[in-house]
Amino acid sequence: MTENTNATILVVDDSADNRIVIQALLHEAQPGYRVLQAANGPQALQLAIEHDPDVILLDIVMPGMDGFEVCSRLKANPKTELIPVIFITALSTDHATRNRAFEVGAEGFLGKPVEMLDLITQVRTMIKVKQSAVSERREKEILSSLVDERTNELEHQLLKARKVEQRARVNEHLLTSFIDTNTDLVFLFDEHMRFLMVNTSLAALLKLSKNEIIGRHIDEVVPAEMKHVLEPAAQDVLLSGAFFHQTHSLYSRYLETNLFRVQLTSGCLAVGGICRDVTDRFEATRQLELAAEDWQHTFDSSNEAICILNADHRIVRANRIAKEVFNFDLQAGPRMCWDVFHEDKNELADCPYARVRLSHHRESEEIRFKDRSYRITVDPIFDTEGRMYGAVHMVSDITGRKQAEAERERLESQLLQAQKMESVGQLAGGVAHDFNNMLSIILGNAENACDQMSPEHPAYPALQEILLTAKRSAELTRQLLAFARKQEIHPRVLELNETIKGLLSMISRLIGEQIRIQYLPQEAELPIYMDPSQLNQILVNLAVNARDAIGGPGTLTIETARLPQEYTRLYMQLPPGDWAQLRVTDNGCGMSPDLIAHVFEPFFTTKEQGKGTGLGLATVWGIVKQNNGFIKVESTPGRGTTFTILLSLTSEMPEPMPAELSPVPSTANSTGTILLVEDEPTILKLTQRILAGLGHRVLIANSPLKALDIACEHASEISLLITDVIMPDLNGHELASRLLAKNPALQVLFISGYPADYLKSIDGPVSNFSYLSKPFTRAALAAKLQDILSQT
């Protein structure tokens, strides 16, 4: 039976959108389908009676009359009882809902959203089921009518024969009429294979009259393909008396032939036969077989491994993927599920199938099989009485998903670490800025005090110690700013290999003779754009960290190389381009994963109290990030540590090392007036004293607004503006812009605890400015003034 490509489908759903979506799916799969739509139960019942659709797609939840009631009424009506019903619903697809659906007569069940393959497969199957059911009903009705009619006639003839022997001829005539009205092929031939009787249906098939057939041998009138079946079978029936039943073909039709031995009133034996045309039934059976083949093809075409298990946990059916992945063959007999999926001879303690038998709903678990990850989903199978007799195991390969989850967790961890480091960096930058202001006060007052007393004064050594400590503290703030990526830098093009080579002797003295330095540079040049002092800080901090980790004799290995292009794919966050790789490796004590997670955090240290600030590696991290590079640490306890730093390569040529600047005079030679603006009172007074001590005339203002007033009064006198940057009301840039608008020749010197690069981002950039970071010494201020005033 071929598929009816012009079938009529009735879609019943109170949602117009759902009806349109299902209609689109049906037309996409089979444009010839005729799709009817009903928005409620009564309308669906009316359309079903009027159009006799091949399949009804029925929603469950509808206002007024729900899907269950609609289905019940359809199955109760003889006009619509053969129409297959497929429930399509967004309700829970648990056991109770499915049972209710099949109890009211539904043939199929689909959950929303509907997968196109599932929908079309069920629709096509149900069309074939409808065709088969209609054919079967028609056949049963004809057969029942025929049997009833034949039975009544036979009873009537027998009664008449017993009561009135004289009416034998009438009975014979009636019997002949009855046989002639039978659509089956009815015949009788003697022991010599000559026809004694045939009905009209057989005569019509042979295209002869009954008189032309009766008395003739079977060889003379029956087609060869039918004779080869009837002749040997009739001989066997005559000899044995056995009943013969066989289905064979004739003229592209299928006949079901029944032969039986008959004893005539004369005492002779004959063979009676009835041949029934079962082509429709045979075709229906073949369609069912084809549907089963289609189902198996679909079963085997799934990308998931699917197995069907019986109640004893034995795999009784499996698709192609399952057999290939788990390497088993059911031809040798059913296999236990734990033997196949877990390669274990015993049932698992937490078997999902065992859980399903208790819960009667889906259970799942994840397994590892031959270096792959799988999720086994187990769904119970119930009979019509609701008893569980097996289960479907769906085995999905989730290796890719597990790898993606692991990678996502790794990236999330990196993001959290970066966010944490960024937050700590902002905190460190703010602390360094405030600390720089305090150090400016300490340095300035200590220098002034030293100038006012002789070296023999008892307090002089203490002041010198204060100066030394303040300078060391200034170095600490520079490290904080390096970590926060806010220190003032002066990058230029360096050749990485040569720069490191020039630092080796200094590093060697720093870490001591017990540690051997092994330098392994790549022969090719590696030009990078970076502040040389920052590269110095990186190597010094990593070398000191390695020295402390080794704690005695050992080896420090420094390697440089151009990162191969194929390796750049391993760093997913790495922008395209050429990269230099700097690796610093020690054979020290190593670190555990817990320590590695905190190694770049500022003030984190494993050293004893008083033996480390915890800023060394944090400084390295800050410098690398400020130069848009990447850093990674690998370490194993007891086997040493490797820091890998990636820095972007440049196509420019390395610049020559700058010549050392000669000391500049600390005295002024300008008669101009300096306007000093600082909102911190102590720093304002201190800087005023330093400038006055250097011979300058100074006007002071503790706010930008006051500075504007002073500038109006002394506009022609002021040649230099020295101002802090971050102040209330106006920042230093805005103040300088306003004053430069009135006096373009004005020189500007910004002093701030923030770096110059950071200050460039503030609105209101100005020209003709210089920058001096806090804290600064008197000599540094004098040198900067000498440089500025010498240009006027």
Side-chain angles (χ1 to χ4, degrees):
M1 183 180 296
T2 58
E3 181 185 350
N4 183 2
T5 57
N6 295 318
T8 299
I9 314 297
L10 174 57
V11 180
V12 185
D13 197 309
D14 60 329
S15 170
D17 291 339
N18 290 342
R19 298 197 301 271
I20 292 171
V21 169
I22 294 175
Q23 180 175 357
L25 293 175
L26 292 170
H27 281 166
E28 182 177 353
Q30 182 52 259
Y33 284 160
R34 177 189 177 203
V35 180
L36 304 176
Q37 295 187 23
N40 53 56
Q43 185 181 358
L45 294 173
Q46 184 65 32
L47 289 175
I49 294 173
E50 292 176 359
H51 297 277
D52 188 27
D54 296 276
V55 180
I56 296 177
L57 303 177
L58 180 58
D59 190 16
I60 292 180
V61 179
M62 294 186 296
M65 184 186 300
D66 66 12
F68 293 132
E69 185 177 353
V70 174
C71 185
S72 297
R73 293 192 182 187
L74 288 170
K75 297 304 178 182
N77 190 337
K79 293 183 180 181
T80 59
E81 65 178 348
L82 294 183
I83 304 174
V85 175
I86 302 174
F87 275 122
I88 300 181
T89 180
L91 283 177
S92 171
T93 58
D94 58 8
H95 171 60
T97 305
R98 286 179 178 269
N99 268 6
R100 175 74 187 283
F102 293 126
E103 284 173 359
V104 298
E107 284 79 7
F109 194 99
L110 291 171
K112 295 179 182 177
V114 180
E115 292 293 334
M116 180 177 177
L117 179 59
D118 295 340
L119 175 64
I120 297 309
T121 300
Q122 287 211 26
V123 167
R124 287 177 175 172
T125 302
M126 294 307 165
I127 290 173
K128 295 175 182 178
V129 169
K130 165 83 180 295
Q131 293 173 343
S132 177
V134 171
S135 298
E136 184 176 356
R137 171 190 268 188
R138 186 182 302 115
E139 181 179 335
K140 286 182 178 179
E141 290 174 351
I142 294 173
L143 180 60
S144 176
S145 175
L146 180 61
V147 170
D148 290 343
E149 182 181 352
R150 184 180 300 172
T151 301
N152 292 333
E153 290 292 336
L154 286 173
E155 289 178 352
H156 180 71
Q157 293 293 334
L158 288 173
L159 288 173
K160 292 293 183 180
R162 289 173 183 171
K163 292 181 179 180
V164 187
E165 188 175 350
Q166 293 83 357
R167 299 189 62 183
R169 292 179 182 271
V170 176
N171 290 341
E172 183 179 354
H173 175 72
L174 292 174
L175 180 61
T176 302
S177 299
F178 166 71
I179 293 174
D180 282 341
T181 60
N182 197 334
T183 58
D184 293 342
L185 310 179
V186 183
F187 55 89
L188 182 70
F189 45 78
D190 62 16
E191 55 189 357
H192 301 295
M193 299 294 110
R194 290 190 298 266
F195 280 100
L196 299 175
M197 183 271 293
V198 296
N199 71 342
T200 304
S201 297
L202 178 57
L205 177 67
L206 298 177
K207 298 181 179 180
L208 296 170
S209 67
K210 291 196 290 184
N211 291 331
E212 289 176 321
I213 299 173
I214 293 174
R216 299 176 67 178
H217 194 273
I218 187 174
D219 291 341
E220 299 180 63
V221 293
V222 175
E225 58 182 318
M226 188 175 183
K227 184 190 71 172
H228 293 326
V229 175
L230 294 180
E231 190 169 10
Q235 294 291 349
D236 184 64
V237 168
L238 284 171
L239 293 175
S240 64
F243 184 82
F244 173 80
H245 174 84
Q246 182 177 316
T247 302
H248 57 93
S249 62
L250 177 66
Y251 298 152
S252 302
R253 305 291 292 178
Y254 290 94
L255 299 180
E256 182 182 75
T257 298
N258 297 285
L259 300 180
F260 45 90
R261 191 168 68 182
V262 178
Q263 188 171 7
L264 303 176
T265 55
S266 63
C268 296
L269 297 179
V271 177
I274 300 175
C275 294
R276 173 170 296 171
D277 189 336
V278 293
T279 304
D280 289 343
R281 189 178 72 189
F282 185 85
E283 185 64 25
T285 302
R286 193 174 71 87
Q287 288 297 325
L288 289 176
E289 292 173 352
L290 290 175
E293 291 178 2
D294 289 343
W295 182 88
Q296 184 65 44
H297 178 71
T298 303
F299 191 48
D300 286 335
S301 298
S302 174
N303 292 326
E304 308 288 344
I306 307 174
C307 296
I308 299 177
L309 278 65
N310 63 14
D312 298 326
H313 293 244
R314 296 182 184 275
I315 300 175
V316 296
R317 194 164 189 174
N319 69 346
R320 176 183 56 82
I321 292 293
K323 296 173 184 177
E324 292 176 357
V325 170
F326 295 98
N327 192 26
F328 69 95
D329 190 352
L330 291 179
Q331 292 183 353
R335 296 276 300 278
M336 304 304 292
C337 61
W338 49 76
D339 184 24
V340 171
F341 300 136
H342 306 286
E343 298 182 316
D344 197 325
K345 298 300 181 184
N346 300 310
E347 181 179 359
L348 298 184
D350 189 28
C351 175
Y353 192 1
R355 299 200 306 270
V356 166
R357 298 182 73 170
L358 294 175
S359 66
H360 280 200
H361 60 71
R362 174 177 290 183
E363 299 285 351
S364 64
E365 75 165 357
E366 293 182 5
I367 65 170
R368 290 286 296 176
F369 187 88
K370 298 184 189 292
D371 299 325
R372 304 288 294 178
S373 295
Y374 296 91
R375 172 174 287 278
I376 298 180
T377 302
V378 184
D379 287 290
I381 304 176
F382 301 96
D383 60 19
T384 56
E385 297 180 3
R387 292 173 299 194
M388 179 179 168
Y389 67 89
V392 177
H393 281 44
M394 182 81 71
V395 187
S396 306
D397 189 335
I398 58 172
T399 305
R401 193 191 75 193
K402 298 290 284 186
Q403 292 173 345
E405 289 176 353
E407 179 63 18
R408 185 188 64 196
E409 291 176 358
R410 185 184 69 82
L411 293 177
E412 287 177 350
S413 176
Q414 288 182 348
L415 176 61
L416 289 174
Q417 179 68 9
Q419 290 173 338
K420 180 172 67 174
M421 297 296 282
E422 186 68 25
S423 298
V424 175
Q426 292 176 356
L427 174 63
V431 170
H433 168 258
D434 293 338
F435 195 39
N436 277 337
N437 281 337
M438 291 185 284
L439 286 176
S440 297
I441 298 171
I442 296 172
L443 278 172
N445 283 294
E447 283 185 331
N448 285 338
C450 286
D451 289 344
Q452 295 174 11
M453 66 176 62
S454 66
E456 289 78 18
H457 194 282
Y460 191 83
L463 288 174
Q464 290 294 319
E465 189 65 29
I466 290 173
L467 281 172
L468 181 60
T469 302
K471 291 177 181 178
R472 289 176 179 171
S473 298
E475 179 62 29
L476 182 62
T477 60
R478 280 191 289 273
Q479 286 185 305
L480 281 172
L481 288 170
F483 167 74
R485 289 172 280 165
K486 292 180 178 179
Q487 82 277 30
E488 183 181 9
I489 59 173
H490 302 284
R492 61 186 184 85
V493 179
L494 306 174
E495 204 292 301
L496 182 62
N497 293 332
E498 289 299 321
T499 305
I500 294 175
K501 184 178 179 181
L503 297 172
L504 292 180
S505 59
M506 180 270 292
I507 295 174
S508 178
R509 290 193 301 272
L510 182 66
I511 63 178
E513 297 180 355
Q514 292 186 93
I515 299 177
R516 181 174 66 91
I517 297 178
Q518 185 176 246
Y519 181 41
L520 304 174
Q522 188 186 65
E523 292 185 5
E525 290 188 347
L526 300 173
I528 61 172
Y529 187 71
M530 189 176 186
D531 189 322
S533 65
Q534 289 187 314
L535 181 59
N536 187 354
Q537 282 183 284
I538 289 175
L539 289 173
V540 166
N541 281 300
L542 292 180
V544 170
N545 185 75
R547 178 197 65 191
D548 295 339
I550 295 171
T555 302
L556 174 66
T557 303
I558 302 175
E559 304 172 79
T560 62
R562 182 185 293 267
L563 189 67
Q565 288 294 331
E566 58 268 23
Y567 287 0
T568 58
R569 293 192 296 270
L570 299 177
Y571 299 89
M572 290 187 295
Q573 74 275 35
L574 201 65
D578 296 325
W579 293 83
Q581 178 177 266
L582 170 62
R583 291 167 59 89
V584 179
T585 304
D586 66 67
N587 60 350
C589 60
M591 293 181 288
S592 66
D594 292 340
L595 291 179
I596 293 176
H598 301 282
V599 72
F600 293 122
E601 294 179 4
F603 309 115
F604 176 79
T605 179
T606 58
K607 301 174 185 176
E608 298 178 10
Q609 187 171 1
K611 292 191 176 181
T613 63
L615 283 174
L617 295 180
T619 299
V620 172
W621 184 89
I623 292 173
V624 171
K625 294 302 178 182
Q626 187 174 23
N627 286 276
N628 299 318
F630 299 87
I631 184 168
K632 180 177 70 172
V633 58
E634 301 169 281
S635 185
T636 303
R639 300 182 62 180
T641 302
T642 297
F643 288 89
T644 302
I645 297 172
L646 301 181
L647 298 170
S648 179
L649 289 169
T650 180
S651 58
E652 300 179 23
M653 297 299 295
E655 301 176 11
M657 292 295 290
E660 292 292 334
L661 295 175
S662 58
V664 295
S666 60
T667 57
N669 55 7
S670 173
T671 58
T673 300
I674 297 175
L675 174 57
L676 175 63
V677 187
E678 171 64 65
D679 62 328
E680 177 62 42
T682 307
I683 297 179
L684 178 64
K685 294 179 180 179
L686 175 63
T687 309
Q688 180 188 17
R689 287 199 302 269
I690 293 175
L691 292 172
L694 293 173
H696 296 283
R697 179 171 176 261
V698 184
L699 300 175
I700 63 172
N702 58 6
S703 71
L705 298 180
K706 186 175 181 180
L708 290 174
D709 294 337
I710 295 175
C712 289
E713 298 176 9
H714 304 274
S716 60
E717 306 172 26
I718 300 172
S719 60
L720 173 63
L721 170 66
I722 301 178
T723 178
D724 192 8
V725 178
I726 307 301
M727 294 181 294
D729 300 325
L730 296 174
N731 63 49
H733 278 250
E734 293 170 333
L735 173 62
S737 297
R738 293 193 183 186
L739 295 182
L740 283 169
K742 298 179 180 179
N743 182 10
L746 180 69
Q747 296 293 316
V748 179
L749 173 61
F750 292 115
I751 55 173
S752 178
Y754 287 105
D757 289 346
Y758 171 76
L759 299 177
K760 291 177 184 177
S761 65
I762 300 176
D763 293 336
V766 298
S767 57
N768 300 327
F769 79 92
S770 299
Y771 172 78
L772 182 63
S773 63
K774 298 177 183 178
F776 51 81
T777 64
R778 181 174 54 185
L781 177 59
K784 181 62 71 174
L785 291 176
Q786 179 70 22
D787 181 55
I788 294 172
L789 296 175
S790 64
Q791 300 175 16
T792 58

